[in-house]
Amino acid sequence: MRPDSLSRRSLLTVTAGCALTGAGVASVVGDTAQSEEDADESGVTRESFVIREGTDEETTVYVTTADADGPTAVVVGGMHGNEIAGYTAAERIADWTIDAGTLVAIPEANAVAIERGTRNDDEGNNLNRQFTAGGQPETELAQEIWAVISDYDPDVVVDLHESTGIYAGDPMDGVGQAIFHSADQAAVDAAADAADYVTRNYVDDPDLAFEIGPFSAPGTDPDGLLVHKAARELGAEAYLAETLSTDIELGTRVQWHSAIVDRLFQDDLLLNEPAEGTAPDEPADDESDESEAPAEDEGEDEAESGDGGEEADREPPVAEISTDPARAGERVLEPGQTVTLDASGSTAPDGEIVRYEWRVGDGPFDETGETIDVTVSAKGDHPVALRVVDDADRTDTITLTLSADC
């Protein structure tokens, strides 16, 4: 599974809503009755639609469908607005290209809490306690999220979170560095495999090794979790992944989340390569993976990696955007205001960046250069994407949203 191009509305046609979003997390405003749909060069179809449109809770659902039949997987982030790595990783996962099946992503499930930077919304509701077992979810937002998930009837559901403490068998002390799983044996085995794989390949400190744990029993705390309802009422393999949020760089936490999801999806969505940007620094010492014959894949990443060797071990580039005025992705701008976007902070750890590609709205990456100027000529939210390419043709993509005042 590899990140690829995004599917977004054009800058001029987005005219409703003025939600304020941060750099790296795109937000799209659209019509819930008409989804955005686009087939990209990889052959997958991408569409998006909005739930809770016209409210402060407005958020976008992204759906990627491969040509080949396969299972359906759901990834959710941003249930709690102060768990930044979860919703940042979910936003990037929404842009991955899959080889089979359907990927549904809700990166910013709790838009109000994300804007506030708090665990709960402005009424004190904990969104991840609203999914009542055996009944209707408690809030309108939870009801609409559940309607999306139940309509797609997923085989796999992954919810991304963060904790200020490390899990050691007692959730009261913290649940970080853990993958919690549903009761079916397939989920138990997959969680254990993902925890072991990510620890071996991404975690330097043994104190931060990932553990696994079962969901709480029905009727016991914590109760009302989305993944509990998905497992028990839809029969999905369900997982809740938690990373430690304290004293760990955001980029590392996002990588952990991305690698967990990638590993969990390897079998279910017939994904035979790690997502770009989640590959470990050193090749994994995983005999079971090495013994498997590589699947045929005509994707550009495999074709350009050749026989492996030195280039296969290279770290991908990292895309970064700075703005003038500063932090423009976190401001409400005036219609007609021009913002300069600067990609010079992007890096290529094992090479050099050879190309900067930009996309404004839903068009192709048709602007190039280290900097571009974007004029926000209409009210609403306007997504911009930057894709950087290094001298080994490896890429990374990041987005931000420019919001004009209503």
Side-chain angles (χ1 to χ4, degrees):
M1 181 156 52
R2 299 175 300 279
D4 200 13
S5 59
L6 314 174
S7 177
R8 301 288 189 267
R9 281 188 188 272
S10 69
L11 186 149
L12 294 177
T13 58
V14 181
T15 59
C18 293
L20 192 62
T21 59
V25 185
S27 175
V28 180
V29 178
D31 186 342
T32 54
Q34 296 180 345
S35 65
E36 292 296 302
E37 186 168 337
D38 177 43
D40 66 22
E41 60 188 13
S42 67
V44 302
T45 299
R46 301 184 185 276
E47 59 181 325
S48 63
F49 58 90
V50 172
I51 61 174
R52 299 292 291 147
E53 185 174 16
T55 73
D56 291 342
E57 296 174 336
E58 184 176 271
T59 194
T60 304
V61 180
Y62 301 97
V63 183
T64 302
T65 306
D67 286 340
D69 291 337
T72 296
V74 170
V75 175
V76 180
M79 281 279 192
H80 299 137
N82 60 346
E83 296 174 3
I84 301 172
Y87 65 77
T88 301
E91 191 276 335
R92 295 188 179 188
I93 291 165
D95 298 323
W96 284 355
T97 295
I98 59 175
D99 300 305
T102 300
L103 171 62
V104 180
I106 310 176
E108 299 182 354
N110 194 343
V112 172
I114 288 173
E115 183 173 353
R116 286 162 47 90
T118 57
R119 179 177 175 83
N120 301 333
D121 66 17
D122 52 10
E123 295 182 358
N125 293 316
N126 181 340
L127 179 57
N128 206 30
R129 298 296 184 272
Q130 308 304 315
F131 297 91
T132 308
Q136 186 178 33
E138 298 293 328
T139 64
E140 291 183 350
L141 175 58
Q143 290 166 17
E144 292 207 27
I145 290 173
W146 181 247
V148 170
I149 293 174
S150 58
D151 283 349
Y152 279 96
D153 192 19
D155 300 274
V156 185
V157 177
V158 185
D159 190 10
L160 304 180
H161 288 262
E162 295 201 89
S163 173
T164 57
I166 295 179
Y167 179 66
D170 184 359
M172 297 303 293
D173 295 330
V175 289
Q177 303 305 99
I179 305 172
F180 297 92
H181 54 77
S182 51
D184 50 300
Q185 191 60 48
V188 176
D189 293 344
D193 171 73
D196 175 69
Y197 174 80
V198 175
T199 296
R200 286 187 294 107
N201 289 288
Y202 301 89
V203 180
D204 296 327
D205 185 346
D207 292 336
L208 299 178
F210 278 90
E211 304 289 343
I212 67 170
F215 289 166
S216 57
T220 62
D221 290 331
D223 196 15
L225 277 64
L226 172 65
V227 287
H228 291 177
K229 193 172 182 70
R232 294 162 186 167
E233 297 181 25
L234 301 180
E237 289 181 25
Y239 309 89
L240 190 151
E242 296 265 8
T243 57
L244 180 67
S245 63
T246 54
D247 300 322
I248 307 293
E249 291 186 358
L250 176 61
T252 298
R253 288 141 50 200
V254 170
Q255 186 186 53
W256 287 342
H257 273 307
S258 300
I260 288 169
V261 174
D262 188 72
R263 188 68 173 183
L264 290 172
F265 285 178
Q266 286 293 313
D267 292 332
D268 287 300
L269 295 185
L270 306 181
L271 307 170
N272 299 291
E273 295 181 6
E276 189 169 311
T278 68
D281 294 337
E282 298 294 336
D285 181 18
D286 191 335
E287 294 181 0
S288 61
D289 286 348
E290 293 173 356
S291 65
E292 296 176 358
E296 294 182 1
D297 188 340
E298 296 180 355
E300 62 178 359
D301 287 358
E302 181 171 317
E304 292 169 349
S305 64
D307 295 328
E310 183 177 338
E311 287 201 354
D313 296 338
R314 295 178 59 155
E315 290 188 41
V318 178
E320 295 291 343
I321 301 174
S322 61
T323 66
D324 183 11
R327 306 180 72 85
E330 301 176 16
R331 299 184 177 197
V332 176
L333 306 170
E334 295 291 335
Q337 184 171 352
T338 297
V339 177
T340 298
L341 305 179
D342 186 346
S344 62
S346 303
T347 58
D350 292 328
E352 61 178 342
I353 294 175
V354 297
R355 193 162 66 253
Y356 303 88
E357 303 172 341
W358 299 88
R359 179 170 66 192
V360 179
D362 62 354
F365 284 89
D366 56 359
E367 296 284 345
T368 59
E370 198 169 80
T371 65
I372 64 168
D373 291 332
V374 176
T375 299
V376 182
S377 56
K379 298 176 182 178
D381 291 344
H382 313 299
V384 180
L386 164 68
R387 180 167 63 195
V388 295
V389 185
D390 71 8
D391 53 353
D393 286 328
R394 304 193 69 177
T395 66
D396 186 38
T397 301
I398 190 171
T399 66
L400 64 76
T401 298
L402 303 176
S403 297
D405 194 9
C406 290

